[in-house]
């Protein structure tokens, strides 16, 4: 069975889930949102708004540090309730407006939008959010009346169905999850709320920046794969898009001749090293002889810019590995 799967280039153990969007206006909606990201209007503020449910979890045993410097984290936890974060990410500046509430309902969202209106009292506001029920007018026409009270300064842009990835607030929620929530241990919901509010203040004061959005909304069909063909992309950042630079496969060099050229100073110039593996390596680990060779480093992730200084860790971040509290953001004074 292994030889048959290898010969056909099949890998049934590698499953990549996907979600189809039934929205008939999927492409126009995504293109409209990407235009707001890449070229936001000068007379308006573009805000990405969404909600994030959170759990106040405390570890039953403290997190400890091992001899090699890694952390040993206990799996068992105690649940102390839930909270929801209502967040708004400003596309142009990267500022975040957030509010932690007990329940994610229409009333709390309406109060949060009133706070947004006070934060931007005179500008025109373009709101990008998903198709949640509390984001719609409903029978009471809540958002139409809300917009009328504020002089019709608000414009609501809805993401397509099953396309939450196009909302930039999801990127910031991922940062919050990795830095605060994933390794955090909170004795009650109040500690969770304080930690989230502290991180929002830290972000707005020290790290607020717009995200480098490069997707323009134009979907390109992925390159076609035949049986047993391995397509290598120049960079993982554009994985799945048709940005493959196919190079002609060079003629294989005999092993003995390659060794002479590489290790002897006489008999020819030294050949540049390439990322093309040997035929036996491709047959054994890739299961094909049709791999497209690229120069060394063409498919590697870009490193830091030359001459760019490394950003030092914040002095107000305290990591205590011997206690339950792992991530805390403190401000002097």
């Amino acid at each position: 069975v292994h030889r048959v799967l290898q010969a056909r280039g099949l890998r049934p153990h590698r499953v990549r889930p996907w979600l189809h969007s039934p929205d008939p206006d999927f492409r126009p909606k995504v293109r409209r949102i990407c235009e707001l990201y890449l070229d936001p209007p000068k007379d308006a503020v573009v805000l990405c708004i969404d909600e994030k449910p959170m759990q106040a979890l405390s570890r039953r045993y403290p997190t400890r540090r091992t001899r090699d410097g890694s952390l040993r984290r206990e799996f068992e936890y105690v649940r102390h309730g839930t909270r929801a974060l209502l967040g708004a990410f400003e596309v142009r500046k990267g500022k975040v407006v957030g509010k932690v509430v007990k329940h994610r309902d229409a009333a709390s969202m309406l109060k949060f939008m009133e706070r947004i209106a006070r934060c931007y009292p005179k500008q025109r506001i373009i709101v990008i959010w998903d198709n949640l029920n509390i984001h719609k007018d409903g029978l009471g026409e809540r958002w139409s009346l809300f917009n009328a009270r504020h002089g019709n300064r608000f414009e609501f842009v809805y993401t397509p169905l099953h396309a939450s990835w196009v909302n930039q607030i999801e990127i910031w929620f991922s940062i919050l999850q990795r830095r605060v929530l994933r390794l955090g241990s909170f004795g009650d919901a109040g500690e969770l709320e304080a930690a989230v509010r502290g991180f929002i203040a830290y972000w707005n004061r020290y790290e607020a920046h717009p995200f480098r959005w490069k997707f323009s909304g134009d979907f390109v069909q992925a390159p076609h794969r035949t049986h047993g063909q391995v397509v290598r992309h120049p960079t993982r950042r554009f994985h799945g898009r048709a940005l493959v630079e196919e190079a002609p496969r060079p003629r294989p060099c005999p092993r003995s001749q390659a060794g002479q050229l590489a290790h002897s100073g006489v008999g020819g110039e030294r050949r540049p090293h390439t990322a093309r593996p040997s035929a036996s390596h491709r047959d054994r680990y890739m299961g094909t002889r049709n791999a497209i060779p690229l120069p060394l480093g063409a498919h590697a992730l870009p490193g830091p810019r030359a001459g760019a200084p490394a950003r030092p860790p914040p002095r107000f971040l305290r990591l205590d590995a011997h206690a339950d509290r792992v991530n805390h953001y403190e401000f002097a004074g």
Side-chain angles (χ1 to χ4, degrees), residues 28-45:
K29 290 182 178 180
V30 172
R31 191 175 296 110
R32 162 66 173 160
I33 295 174
C34 291
E35 289 175 358
L36 293 175
Y37 291 160
L38 298 175
D39 189 15
K42 298 181 180 179
D43 61 338
V45 178

Side-chain angles (χ1 to χ4, degrees), residues 171-246:
I171 305 176
W172 189 86
F173 282 162
S174 176
I175 298 175
L176 174 68
Q177 177 69 28
R178 295 193 305 268
R179 294 194 187 183
V180 180
L181 303 179
R182 185 171 65 91
L183 296 178
S185 182
F186 311 101
D188 53 18
E191 292 186 7
L192 171 64
E193 183 176 352
V196 172
R197 285 192 282 104
F199 179 74
I200 293 176
Y202 159 76
W203 174 272
N204 291 333
R205 185 176 179 181
Y206 296 99
E207 288 195 23
H209 65 277
F211 295 134
R212 297 180 58 185
W213 188 270
K214 294 187 176 182
F215 181 54
S216 62
D218 297 328
F219 293 89
V220 182
Q221 185 67 27
H224 176 68
R225 287 189 181 185
T226 60
H227 287 296
Q229 184 182 11
V230 177
V231 179
R232 293 187 180 181
H233 296 267
T235 172
R236 295 183 181 179
R237 185 177 301 174
F238 298 98
H239 182 72
R241 297 176 58 185
L243 296 178
V244 179
E245 299 176 0
E246 297 188 4

Side-chain angles (χ1 to χ4, degrees), residues 3-135:
R3 289 195 298 268
V4 172
L5 295 177
Q6 190 178 31
R8 293 292 183 179
L10 301 177
R11 299 179 181 180
H13 62 285
R14 302 186 64 179
V15 181
R16 296 183 60 185
W18 67 284
L19 183 62
H20 173 70
S21 176
D23 198 327
D25 299 329
F26 179 81
R27 292 175 182 267
K29 290 182 178 180
V30 172
R31 191 175 296 110
R32 162 66 173 160
I33 295 174
C34 291
E35 289 175 358
L36 293 175
Y37 291 160
L38 298 175
D39 189 15
K42 298 181 180 179
D43 61 338
V45 178
V46 181
L47 297 178
C48 299
I49 297 179
D50 203 359
E51 304 85 13
K52 179 176 179 58
M54 303 177 297
Q55 300 185 76
L57 305 178
S58 64
R59 298 295 156 182
R60 189 175 295 272
Y61 300 98
T63 302
R64 302 184 181 276
R65 183 184 303 159
T66 60
R67 294 182 178 179
D68 58 353
S70 61
L71 297 180
R72 189 177 183 88
R73 182 166 174 259
E74 175 62 29
F75 177 78
E76 294 186 8
Y77 60 86
V78 180
R79 191 167 178 264
H80 301 283
T82 60
R83 289 292 185 270
L85 172 63
L86 309 181
F89 180 83
E90 185 178 349
V91 173
R92 190 186 298 274
K93 297 181 180 179
K95 297 285 186 177
V96 175
V97 179
K99 182 180 180 181
V100 181
V101 296
K102 293 183 178 181
H103 304 286
R104 183 185 62 176
D105 52 10
S108 59
M109 175 56 69
L110 191 59
K111 293 181 181 179
F112 177 71
M113 293 300 293
E114 293 288 350
R115 179 181 175 184
I116 294 295
R118 292 193 300 268
C119 292
Y120 305 94
K122 298 181 179 180
Q123 297 95 324
R124 186 169 65 95
I125 301 176
I126 301 177
V127 176
I128 300 175
W129 55 13
D130 54 20
N131 297 269
L132 193 65
N133 56 349
I134 61 177
H135 298 165

Side-chain angles (χ1 to χ4, degrees), residues 245-303:
E245 299 176 0
E246 297 188 4
R249 181 182 177 185
R251 299 183 62 182
C253 181
R255 189 183 298 260
S256 59
Q257 183 180 354
Q260 291 179 357
L261 294 177
H263 300 287
S264 64
V266 183
E269 297 182 357
R270 197 168 188 175
R271 298 183 61 185
H273 181 69
T274 62
R276 179 175 63 89
S278 62
S280 60
H281 179 86
R282 288 198 303 269
D283 295 341
R284 179 176 301 176
Y285 297 102
M286 300 182 182
T288 176
R289 291 179 177 267
N290 299 325
I292 300 175
L294 291 175
L296 179 65
H299 59 280
L301 291 176

Side-chain angles (χ1 to χ4, degrees), residues 129-139 141-143 158 161:
W129 55 13
D130 54 20
N131 297 269
L132 193 65
N133 56 349
I134 61 177
H135 298 165
K136 298 296 183 66
D137 264 349
L139 298 178
E141 298 183 352
R142 63 176 72 92
W143 300 120
Y158 292 89
L161 297 175

